[in-house]
Amino acid sequence: MKKVYIETYGCQMNVNDTEVIFAILAKAGYERTESIDEANLIMANTCSIRDNAEQRIWGRIEVFNQQRKSRPGVLVGIVGCMAERLKDKLLDTRKVDLVVGPDAYRSLPRLLEAITPESPQMDVLLSREETYADITPVRTDRNGISAFISIMRGCNNVCSYCVVPYTRGAERSRDANSIVREACDVYSKGYKEVTLLGQNVDSYLYKSETETVNFAQLLARVADIAPDLRVRFATSHPKDISDEVIYTMASKPNICRHIHLPVQSGSSRMLELMRRKYDREWYLERVSKIREVMPDCGLTTDVIAGFCTETEEDHALTMSLMDEVGFDWAFMFAYSDRPGTLANRTMQDDVPADVKNRRLNEIIELQNRKSLERYRGKIGHSMHVLVEGPSKRDPNMLCGRASNNMMCVFPAGNLKKGDYTDVTVTDATSATLICK
């Protein structure tokens, strides 16, 4: 049997896509391996969100090509968003045999059969229907506790800085019944937690001749599978997260009290330029509603420093919003101009790199302080934790996440991976709760 090795870069949705690819290739006679040295097919499932993500892939292509040179017959493939964005440019390197976009994974067996040294293969056609709903992913997680389930693909928002609509196509929602079936399947196999994935889960809307299901209703259906099956989701969009979703979360104890709500900027002027379709006041109102209904809900976010024309006043507004909200944690980046986006075509990336980096460092410093405040604020509180396994730093300690997504470490005792346990927080860092 031929063996396939896949490296996955980027978001959780790419992890799920890799699991779909493994399932498709398994039917074509490929077996998964974690050793690049024994693989007949080497692939990278790629991300194009930021330039540094793509630069990493170029470096890996050089490594993969060494395998092609030293072991004749080895094939190298680039799949995912970078494949969709660069297309022929990847084949022109003569170091890649296969280029496949996110909606063309079903074509992989056919393309692999057609590859010759003189004829590399490519399929980057985007689809308005493909959701891979009928494919049962090959789970690649190491803990056997948490599973990712894709509920939709693509995005219709077209934020001015983002390549996703161009690399993953238009938004389409997966059959709600197939999602519930997949969640039932992973629960029957011993998984204790599922994460429902989409570029904008709050806009999920499945319609058939007999039913219409929105995201709040889907959340409830998955939560009703079993009381000990935890349900998480990512990512929410501030313009779409509804009261119905918030109240559904509050009504189901096994829907985790955590929302990743990317703000990107605290300046309404910048949000308009970013085409985020909400302003500062709207965002703060949604945060207020979440905390009114679920005071214990964890909130995390994304922040971009130095977007086109950003002033010191805009930056100060971002800092003040972060200070006011008090996020548990954040993904924080300097703006990276991406070819093909609206910003790339119509705006000037005019904030100097040193200014971007200074503002980013100020954002990071503020968030580190807020994270420490948030985590220390949990000292003395009780947390219901799903045990994920041994702590990386101390094998005598276990680790697991609370409902609000905060990582907890605690003595192992008689507990094992997959157990639920109640712990009391005794100390905290800016990223971990120390518990007993």
mmCIF file with all atom_site columns, all heavy atoms in Angstrom, residues 2-3 30 38-42 64-77 97 112 115-117:
data_model
loop_
_atom_site.group_PDB
_atom_site.id
_atom_site.type_symbol
_atom_site.label_atom_id
_atom_site.label_alt_id
_atom_site.label_comp_id
_atom_site.label_asym_id
_atom_site.label_entity_id
_atom_site.label_seq_id
_atom_site.pdbx_PDB_ins_code
_atom_site.Cartn_x
_atom_site.Cartn_y
_atom_site.Cartn_z
_atom_site.occupancy
_atom_site.B_iso_or_equiv
_atom_site.pdbx_formal_charge
_atom_site.auth_seq_id
_atom_site.auth_comp_id
_atom_site.auth_asym_id
_atom_site.auth_atom_id
_atom_site.pdbx_PDB_model_num
ATOM 1   N N   . LYS A 1 2   ? 0.503  2.240  -0.822  1.00 0.00 ? 2   LYS A N   1
ATOM 2   C CA  . LYS A 1 2   ? 1.248  3.494  -0.858  1.00 0.00 ? 2   LYS A CA  1
ATOM 3   C C   . LYS A 1 2   ? 0.967  4.308  0.399   1.00 0.00 ? 2   LYS A C   1
ATOM 4   O O   . LYS A 1 2   ? -0.110 4.215  0.978   1.00 0.00 ? 2   LYS A O   1
ATOM 5   C CB  . LYS A 1 2   ? 0.869  4.291  -2.100  1.00 0.00 ? 2   LYS A CB  1
ATOM 6   C CG  . LYS A 1 2   ? 1.283  3.632  -3.403  1.00 0.00 ? 2   LYS A CG  1
ATOM 7   C CD  . LYS A 1 2   ? 0.890  4.489  -4.591  1.00 0.00 ? 2   LYS A CD  1
ATOM 8   C CE  . LYS A 1 2   ? 1.334  3.840  -5.888  1.00 0.00 ? 2   LYS A CE  1
ATOM 9   N NZ  . LYS A 1 2   ? 0.942  4.665  -7.064  1.00 0.00 ? 2   LYS A NZ  1
ATOM 10  N N   . LYS A 1 3   ? 1.937  5.125  0.775   1.00 0.00 ? 3   LYS A N   1
ATOM 11  C CA  . LYS A 1 3   ? 1.804  5.911  2.008   1.00 0.00 ? 3   LYS A CA  1
ATOM 12  C C   . LYS A 1 3   ? 1.813  7.394  1.689   1.00 0.00 ? 3   LYS A C   1
ATOM 13  O O   . LYS A 1 3   ? 2.570  7.871  0.835   1.00 0.00 ? 3   LYS A O   1
ATOM 14  C CB  . LYS A 1 3   ? 2.916  5.568  2.993   1.00 0.00 ? 3   LYS A CB  1
ATOM 15  C CG  . LYS A 1 3   ? 2.827  4.109  3.476   1.00 0.00 ? 3   LYS A CG  1
ATOM 16  C CD  . LYS A 1 3   ? 3.801  3.812  4.582   1.00 0.00 ? 3   LYS A CD  1
ATOM 17  C CE  . LYS A 1 3   ? 3.619  2.380  5.089   1.00 0.00 ? 3   LYS A CE  1
ATOM 18  N NZ  . LYS A 1 3   ? 4.507  2.075  6.222   1.00 0.00 ? 3   LYS A NZ  1
ATOM 19  N N   . TYR A 1 30  ? -4.200 4.541  -0.391  1.00 0.00 ? 30  TYR A N   1
ATOM 20  C CA  . TYR A 1 30  ? -3.118 5.202  0.347   1.00 0.00 ? 30  TYR A CA  1
ATOM 21  C C   . TYR A 1 30  ? -3.330 5.037  1.844   1.00 0.00 ? 30  TYR A C   1
ATOM 22  O O   . TYR A 1 30  ? -4.452 5.098  2.339   1.00 0.00 ? 30  TYR A O   1
ATOM 23  C CB  . TYR A 1 30  ? -3.061 6.686  0.007   1.00 0.00 ? 30  TYR A CB  1
ATOM 24  C CG  . TYR A 1 30  ? -2.434 7.003  -1.326  1.00 0.00 ? 30  TYR A CG  1
ATOM 25  C CD1 . TYR A 1 30  ? -3.183 6.953  -2.494  1.00 0.00 ? 30  TYR A CD1 1
ATOM 26  C CD2 . TYR A 1 30  ? -1.087 7.341  -1.417  1.00 0.00 ? 30  TYR A CD2 1
ATOM 27  C CE1 . TYR A 1 30  ? -2.607 7.246  -3.728  1.00 0.00 ? 30  TYR A CE1 1
ATOM 28  C CE2 . TYR A 1 30  ? -0.500 7.642  -2.643  1.00 0.00 ? 30  TYR A CE2 1
ATOM 29  C CZ  . TYR A 1 30  ? -1.274 7.581  -3.799  1.00 0.00 ? 30  TYR A CZ  1
ATOM 30  O OH  . TYR A 1 30  ? -0.699 7.878  -5.003  1.00 0.00 ? 30  TYR A OH  1
ATOM 31  N N   . GLU A 1 38  ? 9.212  7.741  4.587   1.00 0.00 ? 38  GLU A N   1
ATOM 32  C CA  . GLU A 1 38  ? 8.644  6.530  4.006   1.00 0.00 ? 38  GLU A CA  1
ATOM 33  C C   . GLU A 1 38  ? 7.444  6.812  3.110   1.00 0.00 ? 38  GLU A C   1
ATOM 34  O O   . GLU A 1 38  ? 6.834  5.891  2.573   1.00 0.00 ? 38  GLU A O   1
ATOM 35  C CB  . GLU A 1 38  ? 8.237  5.549  5.119   1.00 0.00 ? 38  GLU A CB  1
ATOM 36  C CG  . GLU A 1 38  ? 7.081  6.018  5.983   1.00 0.00 ? 38  GLU A CG  1
ATOM 37  C CD  . GLU A 1 38  ? 6.674  4.998  7.028   1.00 0.00 ? 38  GLU A CD  1
ATOM 38  O OE1 . GLU A 1 38  ? 7.492  4.098  7.335   1.00 0.00 ? 38  GLU A OE1 1
ATOM 39  O OE2 . GLU A 1 38  ? 5.533  5.083  7.535   1.00 0.00 ? 38  GLU A OE2 1
ATOM 40  N N   . ALA A 1 39  ? 7.122  8.089  2.909   1.00 0.00 ? 39  ALA A N   1
ATOM 41  C CA  . ALA A 1 39  ? 5.933  8.443  2.137   1.00 0.00 ? 39  ALA A CA  1
ATOM 42  C C   . ALA A 1 39  ? 6.184  8.368  0.636   1.00 0.00 ? 39  ALA A C   1
ATOM 43  O O   . ALA A 1 39  ? 7.233  8.781  0.142   1.00 0.00 ? 39  ALA A O   1
ATOM 44  C CB  . ALA A 1 39  ? 5.475  9.845  2.514   1.00 0.00 ? 39  ALA A CB  1
ATOM 45  N N   . ASN A 1 40  ? 5.195  7.845  -0.082  1.00 0.00 ? 40  ASN A N   1
ATOM 46  C CA  . ASN A 1 40  ? 5.205  7.890  -1.539  1.00 0.00 ? 40  ASN A CA  1
ATOM 47  C C   . ASN A 1 40  ? 4.614  9.190  -2.065  1.00 0.00 ? 40  ASN A C   1
ATOM 48  O O   . ASN A 1 40  ? 4.927  9.626  -3.168  1.00 0.00 ? 40  ASN A O   1
ATOM 49  C CB  . ASN A 1 40  ? 4.388  6.719  -2.117  1.00 0.00 ? 40  ASN A CB  1
ATOM 50  C CG  . ASN A 1 40  ? 4.811  5.386  -1.548  1.00 0.00 ? 40  ASN A CG  1
ATOM 51  O OD1 . ASN A 1 40  ? 4.175  4.865  -0.645  1.00 0.00 ? 40  ASN A OD1 1
ATOM 52  N ND2 . ASN A 1 40  ? 5.909  4.842  -2.073  1.00 0.00 ? 40  ASN A ND2 1
ATOM 53  N N   . LEU A 1 41  ? 3.738  9.790  -1.247  1.00 0.00 ? 41  LEU A N   1
ATOM 54  C CA  . LEU A 1 41  ? 3.099  11.056 -1.590  1.00 0.00 ? 41  LEU A CA  1
ATOM 55  C C   . LEU A 1 41  ? 3.267  12.012 -0.413  1.00 0.00 ? 41  LEU A C   1
ATOM 56  O O   . LEU A 1 41  ? 2.876  11.700 0.703   1.00 0.00 ? 41  LEU A O   1
ATOM 57  C CB  . LEU A 1 41  ? 1.607  10.832 -1.889  1.00 0.00 ? 41  LEU A CB  1
ATOM 58  C CG  . LEU A 1 41  ? 0.726  12.063 -2.058  1.00 0.00 ? 41  LEU A CG  1
ATOM 59  C CD1 . LEU A 1 41  ? 1.200  12.919 -3.229  1.00 0.00 ? 41  LEU A CD1 1
ATOM 60  C CD2 . LEU A 1 41  ? -0.742 11.650 -2.254  1.00 0.00 ? 41  LEU A CD2 1
ATOM 61  N N   . ILE A 1 42  ? 3.860  13.163 -0.684  1.00 0.00 ? 42  ILE A N   1
ATOM 62  C CA  . ILE A 1 42  ? 4.099  14.180 0.349   1.00 0.00 ? 42  ILE A CA  1
ATOM 63  C C   . ILE A 1 42  ? 3.293  15.411 -0.025  1.00 0.00 ? 42  ILE A C   1
ATOM 64  O O   . ILE A 1 42  ? 3.406  15.931 -1.141  1.00 0.00 ? 42  ILE A O   1
ATOM 65  C CB  . ILE A 1 42  ? 5.596  14.537 0.437   1.00 0.00 ? 42  ILE A CB  1
ATOM 66  C CG1 . ILE A 1 42  ? 6.432  13.296 0.772   1.00 0.00 ? 42  ILE A CG1 1
ATOM 67  C CG2 . ILE A 1 42  ? 5.834  15.630 1.464   1.00 0.00 ? 42  ILE A CG2 1
ATOM 68  C CD1 . ILE A 1 42  ? 7.927  13.504 0.597   1.00 0.00 ? 42  ILE A CD1 1
ATOM 69  N N   . PHE A 1 64  ? 10.656 19.066 0.615   1.00 0.00 ? 64  PHE A N   1
ATOM 70  C CA  . PHE A 1 64  ? 9.948  17.990 -0.092  1.00 0.00 ? 64  PHE A CA  1
ATOM 71  C C   . PHE A 1 64  ? 10.695 17.600 -1.366  1.00 0.00 ? 64  PHE A C   1
ATOM 72  O O   . PHE A 1 64  ? 10.771 16.411 -1.729  1.00 0.00 ? 64  PHE A O   1
ATOM 73  C CB  . PHE A 1 64  ? 8.529  18.426 -0.461  1.00 0.00 ? 64  PHE A CB  1
ATOM 74  C CG  . PHE A 1 64  ? 7.639  18.743 0.712   1.00 0.00 ? 64  PHE A CG  1
ATOM 75  C CD1 . PHE A 1 64  ? 6.444  19.415 0.517   1.00 0.00 ? 64  PHE A CD1 1
ATOM 76  C CD2 . PHE A 1 64  ? 7.978  18.379 2.005   1.00 0.00 ? 64  PHE A CD2 1
ATOM 77  C CE1 . PHE A 1 64  ? 5.600  19.706 1.579   1.00 0.00 ? 64  PHE A CE1 1
ATOM 78  C CE2 . PHE A 1 64  ? 7.155  18.663 3.084   1.00 0.00 ? 64  PHE A CE2 1
ATOM 79  C CZ  . PHE A 1 64  ? 5.960  19.334 2.862   1.00 0.00 ? 64  PHE A CZ  1
ATOM 80  N N   . ASN A 1 65  ? 11.235 18.598 -2.061  1.00 0.00 ? 65  ASN A N   1
ATOM 81  C CA  . ASN A 1 65  ? 11.920 18.325 -3.326  1.00 0.00 ? 65  ASN A CA  1
ATOM 82  C C   . ASN A 1 65  ? 13.171 17.483 -3.112  1.00 0.00 ? 65  ASN A C   1
ATOM 83  O O   . ASN A 1 65  ? 13.563 16.696 -3.986  1.00 0.00 ? 65  ASN A O   1
ATOM 84  C CB  . ASN A 1 65  ? 12.265 19.638 -4.022  1.00 0.00 ? 65  ASN A CB  1
ATOM 85  C CG  . ASN A 1 65  ? 12.699 19.435 -5.453  1.00 0.00 ? 65  ASN A CG  1
ATOM 86  O OD1 . ASN A 1 65  ? 12.069 18.691 -6.209  1.00 0.00 ? 65  ASN A OD1 1
ATOM 87  N ND2 . ASN A 1 65  ? 13.790 20.080 -5.842  1.00 0.00 ? 65  ASN A ND2 1
ATOM 88  N N   . GLN A 1 66  ? 13.809 17.636 -1.960  1.00 0.00 ? 66  GLN A N   1
ATOM 89  C CA  . GLN A 1 66  ? 14.956 16.783 -1.650  1.00 0.00 ? 66  GLN A CA  1
ATOM 90  C C   . GLN A 1 66  ? 14.539 15.322 -1.564  1.00 0.00 ? 66  GLN A C   1
ATOM 91  O O   . GLN A 1 66  ? 15.294 14.423 -1.972  1.00 0.00 ? 66  GLN A O   1
ATOM 92  C CB  . GLN A 1 66  ? 15.614 17.235 -0.339  1.00 0.00 ? 66  GLN A CB  1
ATOM 93  C CG  . GLN A 1 66  ? 16.288 18.596 -0.413  1.00 0.00 ? 66  GLN A CG  1
ATOM 94  C CD  . GLN A 1 66  ? 17.350 18.667 -1.490  1.00 0.00 ? 66  GLN A CD  1
ATOM 95  O OE1 . GLN A 1 66  ? 18.184 17.760 -1.620  1.00 0.00 ? 66  GLN A OE1 1
ATOM 96  N NE2 . GLN A 1 66  ? 17.311 19.723 -2.296  1.00 0.00 ? 66  GLN A NE2 1
ATOM 97  N N   . GLN A 1 67  ? 13.323 15.084 -1.043  1.00 0.00 ? 67  GLN A N   1
ATOM 98  C CA  . GLN A 1 67  ? 12.797 13.714 -1.006  1.00 0.00 ? 67  GLN A CA  1
ATOM 99  C C   . GLN A 1 67  ? 12.569 13.193 -2.416  1.00 0.00 ? 67  GLN A C   1
ATOM 100 O O   . GLN A 1 67  ? 12.852 12.022 -2.713  1.00 0.00 ? 67  GLN A O   1
ATOM 101 C CB  . GLN A 1 67  ? 11.489 13.684 -0.214  1.00 0.00 ? 67  GLN A CB  1
ATOM 102 C CG  . GLN A 1 67  ? 11.638 13.952 1.270   1.00 0.00 ? 67  GLN A CG  1
ATOM 103 C CD  . GLN A 1 67  ? 12.126 12.743 2.032   1.00 0.00 ? 67  GLN A CD  1
ATOM 104 O OE1 . GLN A 1 67  ? 12.013 11.612 1.575   1.00 0.00 ? 67  GLN A OE1 1
ATOM 105 N NE2 . GLN A 1 67  ? 12.686 12.976 3.220   1.00 0.00 ? 67  GLN A NE2 1
ATOM 106 N N   . ARG A 1 68  ? 12.076 14.046 -3.315  1.00 0.00 ? 68  ARG A N   1
ATOM 107 C CA  . ARG A 1 68  ? 11.857 13.629 -4.712  1.00 0.00 ? 68  ARG A CA  1
ATOM 108 C C   . ARG A 1 68  ? 13.173 13.242 -5.377  1.00 0.00 ? 68  ARG A C   1
ATOM 109 O O   . ARG A 1 68  ? 13.250 12.284 -6.146  1.00 0.00 ? 68  ARG A O   1
ATOM 110 C CB  . ARG A 1 68  ? 11.205 14.771 -5.511  1.00 0.00 ? 68  ARG A CB  1
ATOM 111 C CG  . ARG A 1 68  ? 9.766  15.057 -5.170  1.00 0.00 ? 68  ARG A CG  1
ATOM 112 C CD  . ARG A 1 68  ? 9.309  16.353 -5.817  1.00 0.00 ? 68  ARG A CD  1
ATOM 113 N NE  . ARG A 1 68  ? 8.848  16.184 -7.177  1.00 0.00 ? 68  ARG A NE  1
ATOM 114 C CZ  . ARG A 1 68  ? 9.231  16.915 -8.213  1.00 0.00 ? 68  ARG A CZ  1
ATOM 115 N NH1 . ARG A 1 68  ? 10.142 17.851 -8.052  1.00 0.00 ? 68  ARG A NH1 1
ATOM 116 N NH2 . ARG A 1 68  ? 8.707  16.721 -9.407  1.00 0.00 ? 68  ARG A NH2 1
ATOM 117 N N   . LYS A 1 69  ? 14.215 14.023 -5.076  1.00 0.00 ? 69  LYS A N   1
ATOM 118 C CA  . LYS A 1 69  ? 15.515 13.765 -5.696  1.00 0.00 ? 69  LYS A CA  1
ATOM 119 C C   . LYS A 1 69  ? 16.155 12.489 -5.164  1.00 0.00 ? 69  LYS A C   1
ATOM 120 O O   . LYS A 1 69  ? 16.799 11.733 -5.916  1.00 0.00 ? 69  LYS A O   1
ATOM 121 C CB  . LYS A 1 69  ? 16.442 14.950 -5.459  1.00 0.00 ? 69  LYS A CB  1
ATOM 122 C CG  . LYS A 1 69  ? 16.060 16.211 -6.229  1.00 0.00 ? 69  LYS A CG  1
ATOM 123 C CD  . LYS A 1 69  ? 17.040 17.330 -5.911  1.00 0.00 ? 69  LYS A CD  1
ATOM 124 C CE  . LYS A 1 69  ? 16.721 18.589 -6.705  1.00 0.00 ? 69  LYS A CE  1
ATOM 125 N NZ  . LYS A 1 69  ? 17.660 19.703 -6.378  1.00 0.00 ? 69  LYS A NZ  1
ATOM 126 N N   . SER A 1 70  ? 16.019 12.266 -3.871  1.00 0.00 ? 70  SER A N   1
ATOM 127 C CA  . SER A 1 70  ? 16.705 11.120 -3.250  1.00 0.00 ? 70  SER A CA  1
ATOM 128 C C   . SER A 1 70  ? 15.922 9.823  -3.376  1.00 0.00 ? 70  SER A C   1
ATOM 129 O O   . SER A 1 70  ? 16.502 8.742  -3.273  1.00 0.00 ? 70  SER A O   1
ATOM 130 C CB  . SER A 1 70  ? 16.980 11.415 -1.775  1.00 0.00 ? 70  SER A CB  1
ATOM 131 O OG  . SER A 1 70  ? 15.767 11.590 -1.057  1.00 0.00 ? 70  SER A OG  1
ATOM 132 N N   . ARG A 1 71  ? 14.613 9.935  -3.608  1.00 0.00 ? 71  ARG A N   1
ATOM 133 C CA  . ARG A 1 71  ? 13.783 8.718  -3.710  1.00 0.00 ? 71  ARG A CA  1
ATOM 134 C C   . ARG A 1 71  ? 12.908 8.827  -4.958  1.00 0.00 ? 71  ARG A C   1
ATOM 135 O O   . ARG A 1 71  ? 11.770 9.313  -4.901  1.00 0.00 ? 71  ARG A O   1
ATOM 136 C CB  . ARG A 1 71  ? 12.912 8.542  -2.465  1.00 0.00 ? 71  ARG A CB  1
ATOM 137 C CG  . ARG A 1 71  ? 13.720 8.308  -1.195  1.00 0.00 ? 71  ARG A CG  1
ATOM 138 C CD  . ARG A 1 71  ? 12.846 7.858  -0.032  1.00 0.00 ? 71  ARG A CD  1
ATOM 139 N NE  . ARG A 1 71  ? 11.950 8.886  0.432   1.00 0.00 ? 71  ARG A NE  1
ATOM 140 C CZ  . ARG A 1 71  ? 10.639 8.738  0.553   1.00 0.00 ? 71  ARG A CZ  1
ATOM 141 N NH1 . ARG A 1 71  ? 10.052 7.613  0.194   1.00 0.00 ? 71  ARG A NH1 1
ATOM 142 N NH2 . ARG A 1 71  ? 9.893  9.731  1.004   1.00 0.00 ? 71  ARG A NH2 1
ATOM 143 N N   . PRO A 1 72  ? 13.370 8.380  -6.096  1.00 0.00 ? 72  PRO A N   1
ATOM 144 C CA  . PRO A 1 72  ? 12.600 8.480  -7.340  1.00 0.00 ? 72  PRO A CA  1
ATOM 145 C C   . PRO A 1 72  ? 11.213 7.854  -7.187  1.00 0.00 ? 72  PRO A C   1
ATOM 146 O O   . PRO A 1 72  ? 11.056 6.799  -6.572  1.00 0.00 ? 72  PRO A O   1
ATOM 147 C CB  . PRO A 1 72  ? 13.454 7.692  -8.340  1.00 0.00 ? 72  PRO A CB  1
ATOM 148 C CG  . PRO A 1 72  ? 14.839 7.787  -7.792  1.00 0.00 ? 72  PRO A CG  1
ATOM 149 C CD  . PRO A 1 72  ? 14.694 7.775  -6.298  1.00 0.00 ? 72  PRO A CD  1
ATOM 150 N N   . GLY A 1 73  ? 10.236 8.529  -7.746  1.00 0.00 ? 73  GLY A N   1
ATOM 151 C CA  . GLY A 1 73  ? 8.862  8.049  -7.659  1.00 0.00 ? 73  GLY A CA  1
ATOM 152 C C   . GLY A 1 73  ? 8.032  8.761  -6.620  1.00 0.00 ? 73  GLY A C   1
ATOM 153 O O   . GLY A 1 73  ? 6.800  8.682  -6.639  1.00 0.00 ? 73  GLY A O   1
ATOM 154 N N   . VAL A 1 74  ? 8.687  9.470  -5.692  1.00 0.00 ? 74  VAL A N   1
ATOM 155 C CA  . VAL A 1 74  ? 7.948  10.241 -4.693  1.00 0.00 ? 74  VAL A CA  1
ATOM 156 C C   . VAL A 1 74  ? 7.269  11.429 -5.373  1.00 0.00 ? 74  VAL A C   1
ATOM 157 O O   . VAL A 1 74  ? 7.865  12.112 -6.207  1.00 0.00 ? 74  VAL A O   1
ATOM 158 C CB  . VAL A 1 74  ? 8.896  10.740 -3.580  1.00 0.00 ? 74  VAL A CB  1
ATOM 159 C CG1 . VAL A 1 74  ? 8.200  11.764 -2.688  1.00 0.00 ? 74  VAL A CG1 1
ATOM 160 C CG2 . VAL A 1 74  ? 9.391  9.568  -2.745  1.00 0.00 ? 74  VAL A CG2 1
ATOM 161 N N   . LEU A 1 75  ? 6.001  11.660 -5.010  1.00 0.00 ? 75  LEU A N   1
ATOM 162 C CA  . LEU A 1 75  ? 5.232  12.772 -5.557  1.00 0.00 ? 75  LEU A CA  1
ATOM 163 C C   . LEU A 1 75  ? 5.038  13.845 -4.488  1.00 0.00 ? 75  LEU A C   1
ATOM 164 O O   . LEU A 1 75  ? 4.879  13.534 -3.308  1.00 0.00 ? 75  LEU A O   1
ATOM 165 C CB  . LEU A 1 75  ? 3.877  12.292 -6.053  1.00 0.00 ? 75  LEU A CB  1
ATOM 166 C CG  . LEU A 1 75  ? 3.890  11.235 -7.164  1.00 0.00 ? 75  LEU A CG  1
ATOM 167 C CD1 . LEU A 1 75  ? 2.465  10.805 -7.496  1.00 0.00 ? 75  LEU A CD1 1
ATOM 168 C CD2 . LEU A 1 75  ? 4.604  11.753 -8.405  1.00 0.00 ? 75  LEU A CD2 1
ATOM 169 N N   . VAL A 1 76  ? 5.035  15.102 -4.926  1.00 0.00 ? 76  VAL A N   1
ATOM 170 C CA  . VAL A 1 76  ? 4.837  16.232 -4.020  1.00 0.00 ? 76  VAL A CA  1
ATOM 171 C C   . VAL A 1 76  ? 3.600  17.010 -4.466  1.00 0.00 ? 76  VAL A C   1
ATOM 172 O O   . VAL A 1 76  ? 3.458  17.359 -5.642  1.00 0.00 ? 76  VAL A O   1
ATOM 173 C CB  . VAL A 1 76  ? 6.064  17.161 -4.004  1.00 0.00 ? 76  VAL A CB  1
ATOM 174 C CG1 . VAL A 1 76  ? 5.753  18.452 -3.247  1.00 0.00 ? 76  VAL A CG1 1
ATOM 175 C CG2 . VAL A 1 76  ? 7.251  16.447 -3.373  1.00 0.00 ? 76  VAL A CG2 1
ATOM 176 N N   . GLY A 1 77  ? 2.709  17.281 -3.508  1.00 0.00 ? 77  GLY A N   1
ATOM 177 C CA  . GLY A 1 77  ? 1.491  18.018 -3.807  1.00 0.00 ? 77  GLY A CA  1
ATOM 178 C C   . GLY A 1 77  ? 1.297  19.197 -2.875  1.00 0.00 ? 77  GLY A C   1
ATOM 179 O O   . GLY A 1 77  ? 1.638  19.127 -1.691  1.00 0.00 ? 77  GLY A O   1
ATOM 180 N N   . ASP A 1 97  ? 4.327  18.231 -8.108  1.00 0.00 ? 97  ASP A N   1
ATOM 181 C CA  . ASP A 1 97  ? 3.664  17.390 -9.103  1.00 0.00 ? 97  ASP A CA  1
ATOM 182 C C   . ASP A 1 97  ? 2.157  17.601 -9.142  1.00 0.00 ? 97  ASP A C   1
ATOM 183 O O   . ASP A 1 97  ? 1.503  17.201 -10.114 1.00 0.00 ? 97  ASP A O   1
ATOM 184 C CB  . ASP A 1 97  ? 3.922  15.901 -8.784  1.00 0.00 ? 97  ASP A CB  1
ATOM 185 C CG  . ASP A 1 97  ? 5.394  15.590 -8.693  1.00 0.00 ? 97  ASP A CG  1
ATOM 186 O OD1 . ASP A 1 97  ? 6.064  15.606 -9.737  1.00 0.00 ? 97  ASP A OD1 1
ATOM 187 O OD2 . ASP A 1 97  ? 5.888  15.349 -7.568  1.00 0.00 ? 97  ASP A OD2 1
ATOM 188 N N   . LEU A 1 112 ? -3.707 11.859 -9.318  1.00 0.00 ? 112 LEU A N   1
ATOM 189 C CA  . LEU A 1 112 ? -2.503 11.109 -8.972  1.00 0.00 ? 112 LEU A CA  1
ATOM 190 C C   . LEU A 1 112 ? -2.193 10.043 -10.010 1.00 0.00 ? 112 LEU A C   1
ATOM 191 O O   . LEU A 1 112 ? -1.024 9.803  -10.350 1.00 0.00 ? 112 LEU A O   1
ATOM 192 C CB  . LEU A 1 112 ? -2.648 10.486 -7.585  1.00 0.00 ? 112 LEU A CB  1
ATOM 193 C CG  . LEU A 1 112 ? -2.575 11.471 -6.412  1.00 0.00 ? 112 LEU A CG  1
ATOM 194 C CD1 . LEU A 1 112 ? -3.077 10.826 -5.125  1.00 0.00 ? 112 LEU A CD1 1
ATOM 195 C CD2 . LEU A 1 112 ? -1.149 11.984 -6.229  1.00 0.00 ? 112 LEU A CD2 1
ATOM 196 N N   . ILE A 1 115 ? -0.461 11.662 -13.172 1.00 0.00 ? 115 ILE A N   1
ATOM 197 C CA  . ILE A 1 115 ? 0.831  12.355 -13.062 1.00 0.00 ? 115 ILE A CA  1
ATOM 198 C C   . ILE A 1 115 ? 1.942  11.567 -13.761 1.00 0.00 ? 115 ILE A C   1
ATOM 199 O O   . ILE A 1 115 ? 2.073  10.350 -13.589 1.00 0.00 ? 115 ILE A O   1
ATOM 200 C CB  . ILE A 1 115 ? 1.204  12.577 -11.589 1.00 0.00 ? 115 ILE A CB  1
ATOM 201 C CG1 . ILE A 1 115 ? 0.281  13.620 -10.948 1.00 0.00 ? 115 ILE A CG1 1
ATOM 202 C CG2 . ILE A 1 115 ? 2.659  13.038 -11.456 1.00 0.00 ? 115 ILE A CG2 1
ATOM 203 C CD1 . ILE A 1 115 ? 0.472  13.766 -9.454  1.00 0.00 ? 115 ILE A CD1 1
ATOM 204 N N   . THR A 1 116 ? 2.727  12.262 -14.568 1.00 0.00 ? 116 THR A N   1
ATOM 205 C CA  . THR A 1 116 ? 3.974  11.727 -15.125 1.00 0.00 ? 116 THR A CA  1
ATOM 206 C C   . THR A 1 116 ? 5.042  12.805 -14.926 1.00 0.00 ? 116 THR A C   1
ATOM 207 O O   . THR A 1 116 ? 4.716  13.958 -14.637 1.00 0.00 ? 116 THR A O   1
ATOM 208 C CB  . THR A 1 116 ? 3.850  11.412 -16.624 1.00 0.00 ? 116 THR A CB  1
ATOM 209 O OG1 . THR A 1 116 ? 3.704  12.647 -17.340 1.00 0.00 ? 116 THR A OG1 1
ATOM 210 C CG2 . THR A 1 116 ? 2.666  10.500 -16.910 1.00 0.00 ? 116 THR A CG2 1
ATOM 211 N N   . PRO A 1 117 ? 6.326  12.468 -15.089 1.00 0.00 ? 117 PRO A N   1
ATOM 212 C CA  . PRO A 1 117 ? 7.361  13.500 -14.940 1.00 0.00 ? 117 PRO A CA  1
ATOM 213 C C   . PRO A 1 117 ? 7.144  14.703 -15.854 1.00 0.00 ? 117 PRO A C   1
ATOM 214 O O   . PRO A 1 117 ? 7.522  15.824 -15.519 1.00 0.00 ? 117 PRO A O   1
ATOM 215 C CB  . PRO A 1 117 ? 8.650  12.750 -15.290 1.00 0.00 ? 117 PRO A CB  1
ATOM 216 C CG  . PRO A 1 117 ? 8.358  11.332 -14.935 1.00 0.00 ? 117 PRO A CG  1
ATOM 217 C CD  . PRO A 1 117 ? 6.915  11.121 -15.263 1.00 0.00 ? 117 PRO A CD  1
#
